[in-house]
Coordinates of all heavy atoms in Angstrom, one line a residue:
M1 N 0.8 -1.2 0.0 CA 0.0 0.0 0.0 C 0.9 1.3 0.0 O 0.6 2.2 -0.8 CB -0.9 -0.1 1.2 CG -1.8 1.1 1.4 SD -3.2 0.8 0.3 CE -4.3 2.1 0.9
E2 N 1.9 1.3 0.9 CA 2.7 2.4 0.9 C 3.5 2.6 -0.4 O 3.7 3.7 -0.8 CB 3.8 2.2 2.1 CG 3.3 2.8 3.4 CD 4.4 2.7 4.4 OE1 5.6 3.0 4.1 OE2 4.1 2.3 5.5
K3 N 3.9 1.5 -1.0 CA 4.6 1.6 -2.2 C 3.7 2.2 -3.3 O 4.2 3.0 -4.1 CB 5.1 0.2 -2.6 CG 6.2 0.1 -3.6 CD 6.7 -1.3 -3.7 CE 7.9 -1.2 -4.6 NZ 8.5 -2.5 -4.8
E4 N 2.5 1.8 -3.3 CA 1.5 2.3 -4.3 C 1.3 3.8 -4.1 O 1.2 4.6 -5.1 CB 0.2 1.6 -4.3 CG 0.3 0.2 -4.7 CD -1.0 -0.6 -4.5 OE1 -2.0 0.0 -3.9 OE2 -1.1 -1.8 -4.8
M5 N 1.2 4.2 -2.9 CA 1.0 5.7 -2.5 C 2.2 6.5 -3.0 O 2.1 7.6 -3.5 CB 0.8 5.9 -1.0 CG -0.6 5.4 -0.6 SD -1.9 6.4 -1.1 CE -1.8 7.7 0.0
L6 N 3.4 5.9 -2.7 CA 4.6 6.6 -3.1 C 4.7 6.7 -4.6 O 5.1 7.7 -5.1 CB 5.8 5.8 -2.5 CG 7.2 6.4 -2.7 CD1 7.3 7.8 -2.1 CD2 8.3 5.5 -2.2
Q7 N 4.3 5.7 -5.3 CA 4.3 5.7 -6.8 C 3.4 6.7 -7.3 O 3.7 7.5 -8.2 CB 4.0 4.3 -7.3 CG 4.2 4.2 -8.8 CD 5.6 4.5 -9.3 OE1 6.6 4.0 -8.6 NE2 5.8 5.2 -10.3
L8 N 2.2 6.8 -6.7 CA 1.2 7.9 -7.1 C 1.8 9.3 -6.9 O 1.6 10.1 -7.7 CB -0.1 7.7 -6.3 CG -1.0 6.5 -6.7 CD1 -2.2 6.4 -5.7 CD2 -1.5 6.8 -8.1
I9 N 2.4 9.4 -5.7 CA 3.0 10.8 -5.4 C 4.1 11.1 -6.5 O 4.2 12.2 -7.0 CB 3.6 10.8 -4.0 CG1 2.4 10.8 -3.0 CG2 4.4 12.0 -3.8 CD1 2.9 10.6 -1.6
L10 N 4.9 10.1 -6.8 CA 6.0 10.3 -7.8 C 5.4 10.6 -9.1 O 5.9 11.5 -9.9 CB 6.9 9.1 -7.8 CG 7.8 8.8 -6.6 CD1 8.6 7.5 -6.8 CD2 8.8 10.0 -6.5
N11 N 4.3 9.9 -9.5 CA 3.7 10.2 -10.8 C 3.1 11.6 -10.8 O 3.3 12.3 -11.8 CB 2.6 9.2 -11.0 CG 3.1 7.8 -11.4 OD1 4.3 7.6 -11.7 ND2 2.3 6.8 -11.3
K12 N 2.5 12.0 -9.7 CA 2.0 13.4 -9.7 C 3.1 14.4 -9.8 O 3.0 15.4 -10.5 CB 1.2 13.6 -8.4 CG -0.1 12.9 -8.5 CD -1.1 13.7 -7.6 CE -2.5 13.0 -7.7 NZ -3.5 13.8 -8.2
L13 N 4.2 14.2 -9.1 CA 5.4 15.1 -9.2 C 5.9 15.2 -10.6 O 6.3 16.2 -11.0 CB 6.4 14.6 -8.2 CG 6.2 15.0 -6.7 CD1 7.3 14.3 -5.8 CD2 6.1 16.4 -6.5
D14 N 6.0 14.0 -11.2 CA 6.5 14.0 -12.6 C 5.6 14.8 -13.5 O 6.1 15.6 -14.4 CB 6.5 12.5 -13.1 CG 7.2 12.4 -14.4 OD1 8.3 13.1 -14.6 OD2 6.7 11.7 -15.3
G15 N 4.3 14.7 -13.4 CA 3.3 15.5 -14.1 C 3.5 17.0 -13.8 O 3.4 17.8 -14.7
M16 N 3.7 17.3 -12.6 CA 3.9 18.7 -12.2 C 5.2 19.3 -12.8 O 5.3 20.4 -13.3 CB 4.0 18.9 -10.7 CG 2.6 18.6 -10.0 SD 2.6 18.6 -8.2 CE 3.1 20.3 -7.9
D17 N 6.3 18.4 -12.9 CA 7.5 18.9 -13.5 C 7.3 19.2 -15.0 O 7.8 20.2 -15.5 CB 8.6 17.8 -13.3 CG 9.2 17.8 -12.0 OD1 9.1 18.8 -11.2 OD2 9.9 16.7 -11.6
K18 N 6.6 18.3 -15.7 CA 6.3 18.5 -17.1 C 5.5 19.8 -17.3 O 5.8 20.6 -18.2 CB 5.6 17.3 -17.7 CG 6.4 16.1 -17.8 CD 5.6 14.9 -18.3 CE 6.5 13.7 -18.4 NZ 5.8 12.5 -18.8
R19 N 4.5 20.0 -16.5 CA 3.7 21.3 -16.6 C 4.6 22.5 -16.3 O 4.5 23.5 -16.9 CB 2.5 21.2 -15.6 CG 1.5 20.3 -16.1 CD 0.1 20.3 -15.4 NE 0.1 21.2 -14.2 CZ -0.6 21.0 -13.2 NH1 -1.3 19.8 -13.1 NH2 -0.7 21.8 -12.2
L20 N 5.5 22.4 -15.3 CA 6.4 23.5 -15.0 C 7.3 23.8 -16.1 O 7.5 25.0 -16.5 CB 7.2 23.2 -13.7 CG 8.1 24.3 -13.2 CD1 7.3 25.6 -12.9 CD2 8.9 23.8 -12.0
E21 N 7.8 22.7 -16.8 CA 8.7 23.0 -18.0 C 7.9 23.7 -19.1 O 8.5 24.6 -19.7 CB 9.3 21.6 -18.4 CG 10.3 21.0 -17.6 CD 10.8 19.7 -18.0 OE1 10.5 19.3 -19.2 OE2 11.4 19.0 -17.2
S22 N 6.7 23.2 -19.3 CA 5.9 23.8 -20.3 C 5.6 25.3 -20.0 O 5.7 26.2 -20.9 CB 4.5 23.1 -20.4 OG 3.7 23.7 -21.3
M23 N 5.3 25.6 -18.8 CA 5.1 27.0 -18.3 C 6.4 27.9 -18.5 O 6.3 29.0 -19.0 CB 4.6 27.1 -16.9 CG 3.2 26.5 -16.7 SD 2.7 26.4 -15.0 CE 2.9 28.0 -14.3
E24 N 7.5 27.3 -18.2 CA 8.8 28.0 -18.4 C 9.0 28.3 -19.9 O 9.5 29.4 -20.2 CB 9.9 27.2 -17.8 CG 9.9 27.2 -16.3 CD 11.0 26.3 -15.7 OE1 11.5 25.4 -16.4 OE2 11.3 26.4 -14.5
K25 N 8.7 27.4 -20.7 CA 8.9 27.6 -22.2 C 8.0 28.7 -22.6 O 8.4 29.6 -23.4 CB 8.6 26.3 -22.9 CG 9.7 25.3 -22.8 CD 9.3 24.0 -23.6 CE 10.4 22.9 -23.4 NZ 10.0 21.7 -24.2
R26 N 6.7 28.7 -22.2 CA 5.8 29.7 -22.6 C 6.3 31.1 -22.1 O 6.2 32.1 -22.7 CB 4.4 29.4 -22.1 CG 3.7 28.4 -23.0 CD 2.3 28.3 -22.6 NE 2.3 27.4 -21.4 CZ 1.2 27.1 -20.7 NH1 0.0 27.6 -21.1 NH2 1.3 26.3 -19.7
Q27 N 6.8 31.1 -20.8 CA 7.3 32.4 -20.3 C 8.4 32.9 -21.1 O 8.5 34.1 -21.3 CB 7.7 32.1 -18.8 CG 8.1 33.4 -18.1 CD 8.4 33.2 -16.6 OE1 8.6 32.1 -16.2 NE2 8.6 34.3 -15.9
D28 N 9.3 32.0 -21.5 CA 10.5 32.5 -22.3 C 10.0 33.0 -23.6 O 10.5 34.0 -24.1 CB 11.4 31.3 -22.6 CG 12.3 30.9 -21.3 OD1 12.3 31.7 -20.4 OD2 12.8 29.8 -21.3
E29 N 9.0 32.4 -24.3 CA 8.4 32.9 -25.5 C 7.8 34.2 -25.3 O 8.0 35.1 -26.2 CB 7.4 31.9 -26.0 CG 7.9 30.6 -26.5 CD 6.9 29.6 -26.9 OE1 5.7 29.9 -26.8 OE2 7.2 28.4 -27.3
M30 N 7.1 34.4 -24.2 CA 6.4 35.7 -24.0 C 7.5 36.7 -23.7 O 7.3 37.9 -24.2 CB 5.5 35.5 -22.8 CG 4.2 34.7 -23.1 SD 3.2 34.3 -21.7 CE 3.0 35.8 -20.8
Y31 N 8.5 36.4 -23.0 CA 9.6 37.4 -22.8 C 10.2 37.8 -24.1 O 10.5 39.0 -24.4 CB 10.7 36.8 -21.9 CG 11.9 37.7 -21.7 CD1 11.8 38.8 -20.9 CD2 13.1 37.5 -22.4 CE1 12.8 39.7 -20.8 CE2 14.1 38.3 -22.2 CZ 14.0 39.4 -21.4 OH 15.1 40.3 -21.3
R32 N 10.5 36.9 -25.0 CA 11.1 37.2 -26.3 C 10.2 38.1 -27.1 O 10.6 39.0 -27.8 CB 11.5 35.9 -27.1 CG 12.7 35.3 -26.5 CD 13.2 34.2 -27.5 NE 12.3 33.1 -27.7 CZ 12.3 32.0 -26.9 NH1 13.2 31.9 -25.9 NH2 11.4 31.0 -27.1
M33 N 8.9 37.8 -27.1 CA 7.9 38.6 -27.8 C 7.9 40.0 -27.2 O 7.8 41.0 -28.0 CB 6.5 37.9 -27.7 CG 6.4 36.7 -28.6 SD 4.8 35.9 -28.4 CE 3.6 37.1 -28.9
Q34 N 7.9 40.1 -25.9 CA 7.9 41.4 -25.3 C 9.1 42.2 -25.7 O 9.0 43.4 -26.0 CB 7.8 41.3 -23.8 CG 7.8 42.7 -23.1 CD 7.8 42.5 -21.6 OE1 7.7 41.5 -21.0 NE2 7.9 43.7 -20.9
R35 N 10.3 41.6 -25.7 CA 11.5 42.3 -26.1 C 11.4 42.7 -27.6 O 11.8 43.8 -27.9 CB 12.7 41.4 -25.9 CG 13.1 41.2 -24.5 CD 13.7 42.4 -23.8 NE 14.8 43.0 -24.6 CZ 15.0 44.2 -24.8 NH1 14.3 45.1 -24.2 NH2 16.0 44.7 -25.5
S36 N 10.9 41.9 -28.4 CA 10.7 42.2 -29.8 C 9.8 43.4 -30.0 O 10.1 44.3 -30.8 CB 10.1 41.0 -30.5 OG 9.8 41.3 -31.9
L37 N 8.7 43.4 -29.2 CA 7.8 44.6 -29.3 C 8.4 45.9 -28.8 O 8.2 46.9 -29.4 CB 6.5 44.3 -28.5 CG 5.6 43.2 -29.1 CD1 4.5 42.9 -28.0 CD2 5.0 43.7 -30.4
E38 N 9.2 45.8 -27.7 CA 9.9 46.9 -27.2 C 10.9 47.5 -28.2 O 11.0 48.7 -28.4 CB 10.6 46.6 -25.9 CG 9.7 46.4 -24.7 CD 10.4 45.9 -23.5 OE1 11.6 45.5 -23.5 OE2 9.7 45.8 -22.4
E39 N 11.6 46.6 -28.9 CA 12.6 47.0 -29.9 C 11.8 47.6 -31.1 O 12.2 48.7 -31.7 CB 13.4 45.9 -30.4 CG 14.4 45.4 -29.4 CD 15.2 44.2 -29.8 OE1 15.1 43.8 -31.0 OE2 15.8 43.5 -28.9
N40 N 10.7 47.1 -31.5 CA 9.9 47.6 -32.6 C 9.4 49.0 -32.2 O 9.4 49.9 -33.0 CB 8.7 46.7 -32.8 CG 7.9 47.1 -34.0 OD1 8.1 48.1 -34.6 ND2 6.9 46.3 -34.4
I41 N 9.0 49.3 -30.9 CA 8.6 50.6 -30.5 C 9.7 51.6 -30.6 O 9.5 52.7 -31.1 CB 8.0 50.5 -29.0 CG1 6.7 49.8 -29.0 CG2 7.9 51.9 -28.4 CD1 6.2 49.4 -27.6
Q42 N 10.9 51.2 -30.2 CA 12.1 52.1 -30.3 C 12.3 52.4 -31.8 O 12.6 53.6 -32.1 CB 13.3 51.4 -29.7 CG 13.3 51.3 -28.2 CD 14.4 50.5 -27.6 OE1 15.2 49.9 -28.4 NE2 14.6 50.6 -26.3
V43 N 12.3 51.5 -32.7 CA 12.5 51.7 -34.1 C 11.4 52.7 -34.6 O 11.7 53.7 -35.3 CB 12.5 50.4 -34.9 CG1 12.5 50.7 -36.4 CG2 13.7 49.6 -34.6
T44 N 10.2 52.4 -34.2 CA 9.0 53.3 -34.7 C 9.2 54.7 -34.2 O 9.0 55.7 -35.0 CB 7.7 52.7 -34.2 OG1 7.6 51.4 -34.7 CG2 6.6 53.5 -34.7
R45 N 9.6 54.9 -32.9 CA 9.9 56.2 -32.4 C 11.0 56.9 -33.2 O 10.9 58.1 -33.5 CB 10.2 56.1 -30.9 CG 9.0 55.9 -30.1 CD 9.3 55.9 -28.6 NE 8.2 55.6 -27.8 CZ 8.2 55.1 -26.6 NH1 9.4 54.8 -26.0 NH2 7.1 54.8 -25.9
A46 N 12.0 56.2 -33.5 CA 13.1 56.8 -34.2 C 12.7 57.2 -35.6 O 13.0 58.3 -36.0 CB 14.3 55.8 -34.3
E47 N 11.9 56.4 -36.2 CA 11.4 56.8 -37.5 C 10.5 58.0 -37.5 O 10.5 58.8 -38.3 CB 10.7 55.6 -38.2 CG 11.6 54.5 -38.6 CD 10.8 53.2 -39.0 OE1 9.6 53.1 -38.8 OE2 11.5 52.3 -39.6
Q48 N 9.6 58.0 -36.4 CA 8.7 59.2 -36.2 C 9.5 60.5 -36.0 O 9.2 61.5 -36.6 CB 7.8 59.0 -35.1 CG 6.7 57.9 -35.4 CD 5.9 57.6 -34.2 OE1 6.2 57.9 -33.0 NE2 4.7 57.0 -34.4
E49 N 10.6 60.4 -35.2 CA 11.4 61.6 -35.0 C 12.1 62.0 -36.3 O 12.2 63.2 -36.6 CB 12.5 61.3 -33.9 CG 11.9 61.1 -32.5 CD 12.9 60.8 -31.5 OE1 14.2 60.8 -31.8 OE2 12.6 60.4 -30.4
K50 N 12.5 61.1 -37.1 CA 13.1 61.4 -38.3 C 12.1 62.1 -39.3 O 12.4 63.1 -39.9 CB 13.7 60.2 -39.0 CG 14.4 60.4 -40.3 CD 14.8 59.1 -41.0 CE 15.4 59.4 -42.4 NZ 15.8 58.1 -43.0
M51 N 10.9 61.6 -39.3 CA 9.9 62.2 -40.1 C 9.5 63.5 -39.6 O 9.3 64.5 -40.5 CB 8.7 61.2 -40.2 CG 8.9 60.0 -41.0 SD 7.5 58.8 -40.9 CE 6.3 59.7 -41.7
T52 N 9.5 63.7 -38.3 CA 9.2 65.1 -37.8 C 10.2 66.1 -38.2 O 9.9 67.2 -38.6 CB 9.1 65.0 -36.2 OG1 8.1 64.1 -35.9 CG2 8.8 66.3 -35.6
Y53 N 11.5 65.7 -38.2 CA 12.6 66.6 -38.6 C 12.4 66.9 -40.1 O 12.5 68.0 -40.5 CB 13.9 65.9 -38.3 CG 15.0 66.7 -39.0 CD1 15.6 67.8 -38.4 CD2 15.6 66.2 -40.2 CE1 16.6 68.5 -39.0 CE2 16.6 66.9 -40.8 CZ 17.1 68.1 -40.2 OH 18.1 68.8 -40.8
M54 N 12.1 65.9 -40.9 CA 12.0 66.1 -42.3 C 10.8 67.0 -42.6 O 10.9 67.9 -43.5 CB 11.7 64.7 -43.0 CG 13.0 63.8 -43.0 SD 12.7 62.2 -43.7 CE 12.3 62.5 -45.4
V55 N 9.7 66.8 -41.9 CA 8.5 67.7 -42.1 C 8.8 69.1 -41.8 O 8.5 70.1 -42.5 CB 7.3 67.2 -41.3 CG1 6.2 68.2 -41.3 CG2 6.8 65.9 -41.9
A56 N 9.5 69.3 -40.6 CA 9.9 70.7 -40.2 C 10.8 71.3 -41.3 O 10.7 72.5 -41.6 CB 10.6 70.6 -38.8
D57 N 11.8 70.5 -41.8 CA 12.7 71.0 -42.8 C 11.9 71.4 -44.1 O 12.1 72.5 -44.7 CB 13.7 69.9 -43.2 CG 14.8 70.4 -44.2 OD1 15.3 71.5 -43.9 OD2 14.9 69.7 -45.2
I58 N 11.0 70.6 -44.5 CA 10.1 70.9 -45.7 C 9.3 72.1 -45.4 O 9.2 73.0 -46.3 CB 9.3 69.7 -46.1 CG1 10.2 68.5 -46.6 CG2 8.2 70.1 -47.1 CD1 9.4 67.2 -46.7
Q59 N 8.7 72.2 -44.2 CA 7.9 73.4 -43.9 C 8.7 74.7 -44.0 O 8.3 75.7 -44.5 CB 7.3 73.2 -42.5 CG 6.4 74.3 -42.1 CD 5.8 74.1 -40.7 OE1 6.3 73.2 -39.9 NE2 4.7 74.8 -40.4
G60 N 10.0 74.6 -43.5 CA 10.8 75.8 -43.5 C 11.1 76.2 -45.0 O 11.1 77.3 -45.3
K61 N 11.4 75.2 -45.8 CA 11.7 75.5 -47.2 C 10.5 76.0 -47.9 O 10.6 77.0 -48.7 CB 12.2 74.2 -47.9 CG 13.5 73.8 -47.5 CD 14.0 72.5 -48.1 CE 15.4 72.0 -47.6 NZ 15.8 70.8 -48.2
V62 N 9.3 75.5 -47.6 CA 8.1 76.0 -48.3 C 7.8 77.4 -47.8 O 7.4 78.3 -48.6 CB 6.9 75.1 -47.9 CG1 5.5 75.7 -48.3 CG2 7.0 73.7 -48.6
T63 N 8.0 77.7 -46.5 CA 7.8 79.1 -46.0 C 8.8 80.0 -46.7 O 8.4 81.1 -47.1 CB 8.1 79.1 -44.5 OG1 7.1 78.2 -43.9 CG2 7.9 80.5 -43.9
K64 N 10.0 79.6 -46.9 CA 11.0 80.5 -47.5 C 10.6 80.7 -49.0 O 10.7 81.8 -49.5 CB 12.4 79.8 -47.5 CG 13.5 80.7 -48.1 CD 14.8 80.0 -48.0 CE 15.9 80.9 -48.7 NZ 17.2 80.2 -48.7
L65 N 10.2 79.7 -49.7 CA 9.8 79.8 -51.1 C 8.6 80.7 -51.2 O 8.5 81.5 -52.1 CB 9.5 78.4 -51.7 CG 10.8 77.6 -52.0 CD1 10.3 76.2 -52.4 CD2 11.6 78.2 -53.1
T66 N 7.6 80.6 -50.3 CA 6.4 81.4 -50.3 C 6.8 82.9 -50.2 O 6.3 83.7 -50.9 CB 5.5 81.0 -49.2 OG1 5.1 79.6 -49.3 CG2 4.2 81.8 -49.2
E67 N 7.8 83.2 -49.2 CA 8.2 84.5 -49.0 C 8.9 85.1 -50.3 O 8.6 86.2 -50.7 CB 9.1 84.6 -47.8 CG 8.5 84.4 -46.5 CD 9.5 84.2 -45.3 OE1 10.7 84.3 -45.6 OE2 9.0 84.1 -44.2
E68 N 9.7 84.3 -50.9 CA 10.4 84.7 -52.1 C 9.4 85.0 -53.3 O 9.5 85.9 -54.0 CB 11.4 83.7 -52.6 CG 12.6 83.6 -51.7 CD 13.6 82.6 -52.1 OE1 13.5 82.0 -53.2 OE2 14.6 82.3 -51.3
V69 N 8.4 84.1 -53.4 CA 7.4 84.3 -54.4 C 6.6 85.6 -54.2 O 6.3 86.3 -55.1 CB 6.4 83.1 -54.5 CG1 5.2 83.4 -55.3 CG2 7.2 81.8 -55.1
E70 N 6.3 85.8 -52.9 CA 5.5 87.1 -52.6 C 6.4 88.3 -52.9 O 5.9 89.3 -53.4 CB 5.1 87.0 -51.1 CG 4.0 86.0 -50.8 CD 3.7 85.9 -49.3 OE1 4.5 86.4 -48.5 OE2 2.7 85.2 -49.0
E71 N 7.7 88.2 -52.6 CA 8.6 89.3 -52.9 C 8.7 89.5 -54.4 O 8.6 90.7 -54.9 CB 10.0 89.1 -52.4 CG 10.1 89.2 -50.9 CD 11.5 88.8 -50.4 OE1 12.5 88.8 -51.2 OE2 11.6 88.5 -49.2
H72 N 8.8 88.5 -55.2 CA 8.8 88.6 -56.6 C 7.5 89.1 -57.2 O 7.5 89.9 -58.1 CB 9.1 87.2 -57.3 CG 10.5 86.8 -57.1 ND1 11.2 86.7 -56.0 CD2 11.4 86.3 -58.1 CE1 12.5 86.3 -56.1 NE2 12.6 86.1 -57.4
D73 N 6.4 88.7 -56.6 CA 5.1 89.2 -57.0 C 5.0 90.7 -56.8 O 4.5 91.4 -57.6 CB 4.0 88.4 -56.2 CG 2.6 88.7 -56.8 OD1 2.5 88.7 -58.1 OD2 1.7 88.8 -56.0
A74 N 5.5 91.1 -55.6 CA 5.5 92.6 -55.3 C 6.3 93.4 -56.3 O 5.9 94.4 -56.8 CB 6.0 92.8 -53.9
V75 N 7.5 92.8 -56.7 CA 8.4 93.5 -57.7 C 7.7 93.5 -59.0 O 7.7 94.5 -59.7 CB 9.7 92.8 -57.7 CG1 10.5 93.3 -58.9 CG2 10.5 92.9 -56.4
I76 N 7.1 92.4 -59.4 CA 6.4 92.4 -60.7 C 5.2 93.4 -60.7 O 5.0 94.1 -61.7 CB 5.9 91.0 -61.0 CG1 7.0 90.0 -61.2 CG2 4.9 90.9 -62.1 CD1 6.7 88.5 -61.3
K77 N 4.5 93.5 -59.6 CA 3.4 94.5 -59.6 C 4.0 95.9 -59.7 O 3.4 96.8 -60.4 CB 2.6 94.4 -58.3 CG 1.7 93.2 -58.2 CD 1.0 93.1 -56.9 CE 0.1 91.8 -56.9 NZ -0.6 91.7 -55.7
Q78 N 5.1 96.2 -59.1 CA 5.7 97.5 -59.2 C 6.1 97.8 -60.7 O 6.0 98.9 -61.1 CB 6.9 97.6 -58.3 CG 6.6 97.7 -56.8 CD 7.8 97.7 -55.9 OE1 8.9 97.6 -56.4 NE2 7.6 97.8 -54.6
I79 N 6.7 96.8 -61.3 CA 7.2 97.0 -62.7 C 6.0 97.3 -63.6 O 6.0 98.1 -64.4 CB 8.0 95.8 -63.2 CG1 9.3 95.7 -62.4 CG2 8.2 95.8 -64.6 CD1 10.1 94.4 -62.7
R80 N 4.9 96.5 -63.4 CA 3.7 96.7 -64.2 C 3.1 98.1 -63.9 O 2.5 98.7 -64.8 CB 2.7 95.6 -63.9 CG 3.1 94.3 -64.5 CD 2.0 93.2 -64.3 NE 2.4 92.0 -64.9 CZ 2.0 90.8 -64.6 NH1 1.1 90.7 -63.6 NH2 2.5 89.7 -65.2
A81 N 3.2 98.6 -62.7 CA 2.6 99.9 -62.4 C 3.4 101.0 -63.1 O 2.8 102.0 -63.4 CB 2.7 100.1 -60.9
I82 N 4.7 100.8 -63.3 CA 5.5 101.8 -64.0 C 5.1 101.9 -65.5 O 5.1 102.9 -66.1 CB 7.0 101.5 -63.9 CG1 7.4 101.6 -62.4 CG2 7.8 102.4 -64.8 CD1 8.8 101.1 -62.2
K83 N 4.8 100.8 -66.2 CA 4.5 100.8 -67.6 C 3.3 101.6 -67.9 O 2.5 102.2 -67.8 CB 4.3 99.4 -68.1 CG 5.5 98.6 -68.1 CD 5.3 97.2 -68.7 CE 6.5 96.4 -68.8 NZ 6.3 95.1 -69.3

């Protein structure tokens, strides 16, 4: 009887070990997925910062061109007024 009880306990412990191994594998997978997502977030933020800089640069160039066109337009109007 004692031998059977001991065997049952050992079988249960063996089952628990297998479940624990399975849980550890899943935890490792989840950790790798989390690290991957964190790295993806960092890349996305860097790309967004780059795009923000590019948009600001383009906005500055457009503003400068707009000012130059307005100056040229004013000069053209003055020339036409002389004629």
Side-chain angles (χ1 to χ4, degrees):
M1 181 82 168
E2 267 183 45
K3 199 172 189 180
E4 291 173 359
M5 290 289 281
L6 185 58
Q7 188 61 42
L8 284 173
I9 292 171
L10 289 175
N11 288 343
K12 286 208 179 241
L13 285 175
D14 188 44
M16 290 173 65
D17 282 344
K18 289 178 183 176
R19 287 189 356 214
L20 181 61
E21 287 176 15
S22 174
M23 289 172 55
E24 287 174 344
K25 287 180 183 178
R26 281 187 282 175
Q27 185 178 11
D28 288 342
E29 289 173 4
M30 289 170 47
Y31 174 76
R32 284 193 296 271
M33 287 176 60
Q34 180 182 356
R35 287 292 305 142
S36 174
L37 290 171
E38 288 172 353
E39 289 175 14
N40 188 354
I41 288 170
Q42 290 175 348
V43 168
T44 301
R45 284 184 183 153
E47 289 172 347
Q48 287 175 344
E49 288 177 13
K50 180 181 176 184
M51 290 175 63
T52 299
Y53 171 78
M54 291 172 66
V55 167
D57 183 52
I58 291 169
Q59 184 179 15
K61 289 176 181 178
V62 168
T63 300
K64 182 179 177 184
L65 286 172
T66 301
E67 290 171 358
E68 288 180 10
V69 167
E70 288 172 353
E71 288 176 18
H72 285 53
D73 192 38
V75 170
I76 291 170
K77 286 180 183 178
Q78 288 176 359
I79 293 172
R80 287 185 179 156
I82 296 173
K83 288 183 181 180

